[in-house]
Amino acid sequence: MTLTQLRSFVTVARIGSVKGAAQSLGVTEAAVSGAVAALRRELGDVLFIRAAGGISLTPGGSRLAAGAAEIVGLAEETRHRVRQASSGTAHLRVASSEAGAEQVLPALLTAFGRRRQPDLDVETLAVPVAVFGDLLRDRRADVTIGPAPRRPVPAVESIPFLRFQLVVVAAPDHPLRHRQRLAPAQLAHEPWLLGPAGLDPDTLSGAFLAHIGVEATGAKAFPSVTASLNAVAAGAGLSVAFLHVVRDDLRRGSLAVLDVVGARLGGMLYASALTGERRSTTAAALCRFVTTPAATQAVLTRSNGVPMSEFRPPVHVTIWS
């Protein structure tokens, strides 16, 4: 039983197909099939059978998937720590939603580096909220910033650190600008201008848009949240935004908040990480830092920007499903 075989099987189990696993791993389907076949022979279990729309794990396959994910995660974590020890530089992998990676992580991690970890090498991942738990469990991320993992994950702790508010914004001269107590359903067929993951149902904004009936055909995605808000300011449609992010635009009059019943949505940002010794020293330091006034101040004043020399754009990761 090898790490390559286990990694192949874990990927097949997660994605639900050999073809998808091969694409995710960057290998041939024959290589994945061969790895799975070797495990089947060694363990005396077929592990999974083909089912409508994908595969169905056998009881033995389910147990192997859980154990193999832990083994592969430990191997990745060990490789990560050895690399860190060899270079003498602290490494940290932080995952967030698209909006969080753009509007929360740069300021937060810059402040963290300045105060706690001056020699810090950070990799930021922009991913769907639904995979937060998988990334932590498999040790592909040290910390996630955003909602808590939607499903309970063993040995993962979620630390609340910042309460936020969402608002519906429009251009100051938008026809709905001066309407009072708009019913959410009245906005369903308006053009919505969103960031790359604006309709992610696991985010507060995505859940709100789904609740009022906004469909993908009625929304336009932009490369960034900032680009979508610029289009809103130009009068092209509506969007949902963090109140603290658009506060300066509201003050300048380039954006306006619509009076929508129930649309002043409150939520909480969490830092989630593995517990105990599974949590790296650097991840533990970040989890402590996010609860400090310095972290709160950094996130709330993120509109001042991050020095270009310290900015690191997020890596956008596609998760096969």
Side-chain angles (χ1 to χ4, degrees), residues 97-99 127-129 194-203 205-206 209 221-223 225:
S97 64
E98 295 276 359
V127 299
V129 172
L194 308 170
L199 291 177
D200 182 348
D202 293 307
T203 64
S205 58
L209 294 172
F222 286 76
V225 176

Side-chain angles (χ1 to χ4, degrees), residues 137 151-156 274-275 278:
R137 182 195 62 202
R151 296 187 306 273
V153 181
V156 167
L274 294 173
T275 58
R278 300 182 179 191

